[in-house]
Amino acid sequence: MSPLRRRCCWCKADLGGPSDAPATDGVCGPCRKALIPSFLDTLPDATILVGDGVRVKSANAAARGEVGRELPDIEDRVLGEIFGCPHAGKPGGCPDPGDCAPCSVQVPVEDTLRNGTPHEDVPAVLRVESRYIPLYVTTRRVKGGVLLSLGRSPSD
Ligand SMILES: [Zn+2]
């Protein structure tokens, strides 16, 4: 197979390959990052893209509404931190699977990150400051991390 020249189908940036080769479309890093929230917004539940160290990479509008913060305030923060978990960032707290274990949100996320095992509608309790919010956690391994969906009732 002859080499192809890759270019971003959104911004047309050159992504490598011989300049005289036929072009094929890809998506460059900056465009992918810009497109992720739009893609996540098509999902009905509050959905967060979580990367290594349970750090938030992106979140859809429903999830941003749930935590009352916009993307720049939650990107790169550990999961517990965006929910206002009192243990986040402290020794043994999120992202360490220590004293918080078994955190009903972090455990399925970590498992999916490490092993690729998806989880569906796992009953969980989210502690947001002094409130306890019951929800259902669904996780899926995707390129770049784990899609974490927080549902108020089991999906059917
Ligand atoms: Zn691009």
Side-chain angles (χ1 to χ4, degrees), residues 83-96:
F83 295 126
C85 173
H87 304 295
K90 292 182 184 156
C94 198
D96 296 326

PDB file of all heavy atoms in Angstrom, residues 83-96:
ATOM      1  N   PHE A  83     -16.708  17.184  41.956  1.00  0.00           N
ATOM      2  CA  PHE A  83     -17.955  16.935  42.673  1.00  0.00           C
ATOM      3  C   PHE A  83     -17.926  17.558  44.068  1.00  0.00           C
ATOM      4  O   PHE A  83     -18.904  17.473  44.797  1.00  0.00           O
ATOM      5  CB  PHE A  83     -18.215  15.437  42.808  1.00  0.00           C
ATOM      6  CG  PHE A  83     -18.452  14.744  41.500  1.00  0.00           C
ATOM      7  CD1 PHE A  83     -17.715  13.657  41.127  1.00  0.00           C
ATOM      8  CD2 PHE A  83     -19.437  15.207  40.633  1.00  0.00           C
ATOM      9  CE1 PHE A  83     -17.939  13.014  39.918  1.00  0.00           C
ATOM     10  CE2 PHE A  83     -19.667  14.568  39.416  1.00  0.00           C
ATOM     11  CZ  PHE A  83     -18.911  13.476  39.068  1.00  0.00           C
ATOM     12  N   GLY A  84     -16.795  18.124  44.442  1.00  0.00           N
ATOM     13  CA  GLY A  84     -16.698  18.711  45.774  1.00  0.00           C
ATOM     14  C   GLY A  84     -16.567  17.662  46.859  1.00  0.00           C
ATOM     15  O   GLY A  84     -16.932  17.905  48.015  1.00  0.00           O
ATOM     16  N   CYS A  85     -16.042  16.467  46.517  1.00  0.00           N
ATOM     17  CA  CYS A  85     -15.824  15.436  47.532  1.00  0.00           C
ATOM     18  C   CYS A  85     -14.809  15.958  48.547  1.00  0.00           C
ATOM     19  O   CYS A  85     -13.755  16.460  48.167  1.00  0.00           O
ATOM     20  CB  CYS A  85     -15.304  14.147  46.887  1.00  0.00           C
ATOM     21  SG  CYS A  85     -14.827  12.904  48.105  1.00  0.00           S
ATOM     22  N   PRO A  86     -15.128  15.859  49.834  1.00  0.00           N
ATOM     23  CA  PRO A  86     -14.234  16.417  50.851  1.00  0.00           C
ATOM     24  C   PRO A  86     -12.870  15.714  50.917  1.00  0.00           C
ATOM     25  O   PRO A  86     -11.926  16.269  51.470  1.00  0.00           O
ATOM     26  CB  PRO A  86     -15.014  16.238  52.155  1.00  0.00           C
ATOM     27  CG  PRO A  86     -16.065  15.227  51.862  1.00  0.00           C
ATOM     28  CD  PRO A  86     -16.340  15.282  50.404  1.00  0.00           C
ATOM     29  N   HIS A  87     -12.745  14.507  50.347  1.00  0.00           N
ATOM     30  CA  HIS A  87     -11.478  13.772  50.400  1.00  0.00           C
ATOM     31  C   HIS A  87     -10.572  14.063  49.208  1.00  0.00           C
ATOM     32  O   HIS A  87      -9.410  13.677  49.221  1.00  0.00           O
ATOM     33  CB  HIS A  87     -11.737  12.268  50.454  1.00  0.00           C
ATOM     34  CG  HIS A  87     -12.610  11.850  51.588  1.00  0.00           C
ATOM     35  ND1 HIS A  87     -12.222  11.997  52.902  1.00  0.00           N
ATOM     36  CD2 HIS A  87     -13.855  11.329  51.605  1.00  0.00           C
ATOM     37  CE1 HIS A  87     -13.194  11.564  53.680  1.00  0.00           C
ATOM     38  NE2 HIS A  87     -14.199  11.163  52.931  1.00  0.00           N
ATOM     39  N   ALA A  88     -11.111  14.710  48.163  1.00  0.00           N
ATOM     40  CA  ALA A  88     -10.344  14.904  46.935  1.00  0.00           C
ATOM     41  C   ALA A  88      -9.071  15.704  47.198  1.00  0.00           C
ATOM     42  O   ALA A  88      -9.104  16.726  47.868  1.00  0.00           O
ATOM     43  CB  ALA A  88     -11.195  15.610  45.889  1.00  0.00           C
ATOM     44  N   GLY A  89      -7.981  15.205  46.652  1.00  0.00           N
ATOM     45  CA  GLY A  89      -6.717  15.913  46.744  1.00  0.00           C
ATOM     46  C   GLY A  89      -5.998  15.734  48.067  1.00  0.00           C
ATOM     47  O   GLY A  89      -4.861  16.134  48.215  1.00  0.00           O
ATOM     48  N   LYS A  90      -6.672  15.110  49.055  1.00  0.00           N
ATOM     49  CA  LYS A  90      -6.020  14.874  50.347  1.00  0.00           C
ATOM     50  C   LYS A  90      -5.355  13.501  50.316  1.00  0.00           C
ATOM     51  O   LYS A  90      -5.729  12.654  49.509  1.00  0.00           O
ATOM     52  CB  LYS A  90      -7.052  14.933  51.471  1.00  0.00           C
ATOM     53  CG  LYS A  90      -7.607  16.322  51.653  1.00  0.00           C
ATOM     54  CD  LYS A  90      -8.579  16.365  52.802  1.00  0.00           C
ATOM     55  CE  LYS A  90      -9.195  17.756  52.900  1.00  0.00           C
ATOM     56  NZ  LYS A  90     -10.489  17.732  53.568  1.00  0.00           N
ATOM     57  N   PRO A  91      -4.398  13.260  51.200  1.00  0.00           N
ATOM     58  CA  PRO A  91      -3.762  11.939  51.206  1.00  0.00           C
ATOM     59  C   PRO A  91      -4.817  10.846  51.378  1.00  0.00           C
ATOM     60  O   PRO A  91      -5.677  10.952  52.256  1.00  0.00           O
ATOM     61  CB  PRO A  91      -2.836  11.990  52.430  1.00  0.00           C
ATOM     62  CG  PRO A  91      -2.562  13.451  52.620  1.00  0.00           C
ATOM     63  CD  PRO A  91      -3.835  14.155  52.195  1.00  0.00           C
ATOM     64  N   GLY A  92      -4.749   9.844  50.528  1.00  0.00           N
ATOM     65  CA  GLY A  92      -5.724   8.752  50.597  1.00  0.00           C
ATOM     66  C   GLY A  92      -7.028   9.048  49.887  1.00  0.00           C
ATOM     67  O   GLY A  92      -7.891   8.197  49.783  1.00  0.00           O
ATOM     68  N   GLY A  93      -7.177  10.279  49.403  1.00  0.00           N
ATOM     69  CA  GLY A  93      -8.401  10.623  48.662  1.00  0.00           C
ATOM     70  C   GLY A  93      -8.139  10.587  47.171  1.00  0.00           C
ATOM     71  O   GLY A  93      -7.034  10.320  46.737  1.00  0.00           O
ATOM     72  N   CYS A  94      -9.171  10.870  46.424  1.00  0.00           N
ATOM     73  CA  CYS A  94      -9.096  10.899  44.968  1.00  0.00           C
ATOM     74  C   CYS A  94      -7.890  11.734  44.528  1.00  0.00           C
ATOM     75  O   CYS A  94      -7.746  12.855  45.016  1.00  0.00           O
ATOM     76  CB  CYS A  94     -10.396  11.553  44.474  1.00  0.00           C
ATOM     77  SG  CYS A  94     -10.833  11.290  42.794  1.00  0.00           S
ATOM     78  N   PRO A  95      -6.966  11.298  43.691  1.00  0.00           N
ATOM     79  CA  PRO A  95      -7.068  10.103  42.870  1.00  0.00           C
ATOM     80  C   PRO A  95      -6.465   8.833  43.475  1.00  0.00           C
ATOM     81  O   PRO A  95      -6.445   7.813  42.808  1.00  0.00           O
ATOM     82  CB  PRO A  95      -6.263  10.498  41.628  1.00  0.00           C
ATOM     83  CG  PRO A  95      -5.168  11.355  42.155  1.00  0.00           C
ATOM     84  CD  PRO A  95      -5.783  12.105  43.316  1.00  0.00           C
ATOM     85  N   ASP A  96      -5.957   8.882  44.716  1.00  0.00           N
ATOM     86  CA  ASP A  96      -5.435   7.648  45.312  1.00  0.00           C
ATOM     87  C   ASP A  96      -6.593   6.758  45.733  1.00  0.00           C
ATOM     88  O   ASP A  96      -7.494   7.214  46.427  1.00  0.00           O
ATOM     89  CB  ASP A  96      -4.605   7.961  46.565  1.00  0.00           C
ATOM     90  CG  ASP A  96      -3.376   8.769  46.237  1.00  0.00           C
ATOM     91  OD1 ASP A  96      -2.825   8.549  45.143  1.00  0.00           O
ATOM     92  OD2 ASP A  96      -2.977   9.608  47.057  1.00  0.00           O
TER      93      ASP A  96
END
